[in-house]
Amino acid sequence: MARVPRQSTRQQSAHPVDELLPLPRLALYGFQHVLAFYAAAVIVPVLLGNALGLPRQELVHLINADLLTCGIASIIQALGVWKVGARLPLVQGVTFTAVSPMIAIGTGAGGGTAGLLVVYGAVITAGIATFLFAPVFSKLVTYFPPVVIGTILTIIGITLLPVALQDAAGGASLIGGDSYGDPENLAYALGTLLFILAVARAGKPFLSSLSVLLGLVGGTTVAWILGDADFAAVGDTDWFGVTTPFHFGMPKFELLPILAMLVVMLITMVETTGDVYAIGEITGKRVDTDTVARALRADGAATVLGGILNSFPYVAFAENIGLVRMSKVMSRYVVVAAGAFMVLLGLLPKAGSLVASIPHPVLGGAALSMFGMVAAVGIQILGKVDLREERNALILGVSLGAALLPTTVAPFFDRMPDSVRAVLDSGITLGALTAITLNLLFNVFTSRRAMEIDWDDIEAATG
């Protein structure tokens, strides 16, 4: 009976997720999401383009196409179109899970644009399969109890932390050089992180919600004053550029690459399911199978669009979930604003180049807080799991160990066939597959009842 007044109160006022904020605040919070997301958004096309030996002009085209598609996909996911889009503050970005498989597919097809065409054929096919399979997969949520979702989110946060630390040391391009790990780089990263923490701790709610944005702006300003931020490339970049469908040619559809990408999208669907439940936990918005199905359809539609517009598979971005928790700004319209900014950046290479000029150590310091928060969301969900139960503890412990294999021991799978490495060489993929498999063996096939998330308690706590 105590829940009845709570429900009637909610009927009288909009949920924070559906709150339409004033335009200036929408723009500020949306731009903060873009800054938090940008580095991770462009890293996939950069890694793939370099691995396939694409010239700089084509690499810039990949980046612009990625940002444009990210913006469109984020708007669809947050705003919702028909039965597509979760209508939650979820930013869409290219999944890291697909990097290794796409490099294997592209290089196996000869590299260059020829390799890209085979990649795009696999991406489009996998996107269509994801869209069609979404309603079926959403009904399998009972096979992904809190011990699985919490483990996967914790793994995502932990395996992303080395990316932040690598930027804090100066960025991947400096590895092996004298500047990598230079105390100056570490000082920028630590200074940015401390500034974010100070604003979050001492600032008023409005300032605290902008802590990451202020940290990035403050760190970049200090680096510019000291001569460590280079904006020269901004002047050499065109003002306007439009990505055209099938820019590199018509996709090629080959069976083995398609099968590899289908495995990637299966893991991506689990990741998105975890992200949807995580954002539900953070915002207090009830999540059901229909919500999951709509989110997965958005992933599938965005992935098909990515293959057409010269981009890649898309997933709800865990990094920005950490930002939602830090900022406590839950409106999905903030993500719509972020999507509009991303579309603009995708059409204005010069503007994108300006954001890209943020020094790596500054990005690393900010990313450290956000990626850590992603892991914290996973740990929060795991707090609902009885880890004194040996089976649950084994699912968590073994999955974490599996996820750290490719992260901490890079050559671990070097002697495996390329088709096997495409799946196992990602900590997120390997850890997620381990958690799913162990849960099936320990809990599902033994007919043990999985614990479910109590949405009434969550809504009460956040109401």
Side-chain angles (χ1 to χ4, degrees), residues 158-394:
I158 290 175
T159 53
L160 286 176
L161 282 173
V163 178
L165 294 173
Q166 185 171 276
D167 273 334
S173 61
L174 298 182
I175 293 178
D178 294 337
S179 299
Y180 189 71
D182 187 284
E184 185 178 77
N185 293 332
L186 301 179
Y188 280 127
L190 181 60
T192 302
L193 177 60
L194 290 176
F195 184 82
I196 290 172
L197 294 176
V199 173
R201 171 66 179 85
K204 296 180 179 180
F206 178 72
L207 286 178
S208 296
S209 65
L210 294 172
S211 59
V212 175
L213 172 60
L214 295 175
L216 288 169
V217 172
T220 302
T221 301
V222 171
W224 177 70
I225 292 173
L226 298 178
D228 293 320
D230 185 10
F231 295 98
V234 177
D236 299 330
T237 306
D238 293 334
W239 275 104
F240 186 75
V242 180
T243 182
T244 54
F246 306 120
H247 171 78
F248 298 99
M250 293 304 294
K252 295 181 179 180
F253 300 89
E254 298 182 5
L255 181 59
L256 289 179
I258 288 173
L259 291 176
M261 198 56 61
L262 287 174
V263 173
V264 169
M265 291 308 294
L266 176 63
I267 302 305
T268 297
M269 292 171 84
V270 178
E271 184 180 341
T272 290
T273 300
D275 289 340
V276 170
Y277 276 95
I279 204 70
E281 287 255 340
I282 292 170
T283 62
K285 184 76 168 179
R286 186 182 294 265
V287 170
D288 55 20
T289 56
D290 183 59
T291 309
V292 174
R294 286 188 277 110
L296 295 176
R297 285 195 192 97
D299 278 0
T303 298
V304 174
L305 184 64
I308 294 172
L309 293 180
N310 320 296
S311 193
F312 310 105
Y314 283 84
V315 68
F317 240 41
E319 292 89 330
N320 292 79
I321 292 176
L323 180 57
V324 170
R325 178 169 179 173
M326 287 186 66
S327 67
K328 296 182 176 61
V329 178
M330 303 175 186
S331 172
R332 60 192 172 103
Y333 296 104
V334 169
V335 171
V336 174
F341 277 121
M342 284 185 272
V343 170
L344 181 64
L345 288 173
L347 297 174
L348 299 175
K350 192 178 288 289
S353 179
L354 179 64
V355 179
S357 298
I358 298 174
H360 282 284
V362 174
L363 279 173
L368 188 64
S369 62
M370 290 184 297
F371 295 167
M373 290 299 285
V374 174
V377 172
I379 294 170
Q380 176 181 324
I381 294 176
L382 287 171
K384 304 176 183 301
V385 179
D386 183 8
L387 292 177
R388 293 171 297 181
E389 166 61 53
E390 184 179 8
R391 298 186 183 195
N392 290 332
L394 281 172

Side-chain angles (χ1 to χ4, degrees), residues 47-65:
L47 289 174
L48 182 61
N50 289 335
L52 299 185
L54 295 180
R56 183 182 183 278
Q57 182 180 358
E58 303 294 4
L59 184 58
V60 170
H61 189 92
L62 284 184
I63 294 173
N64 288 343

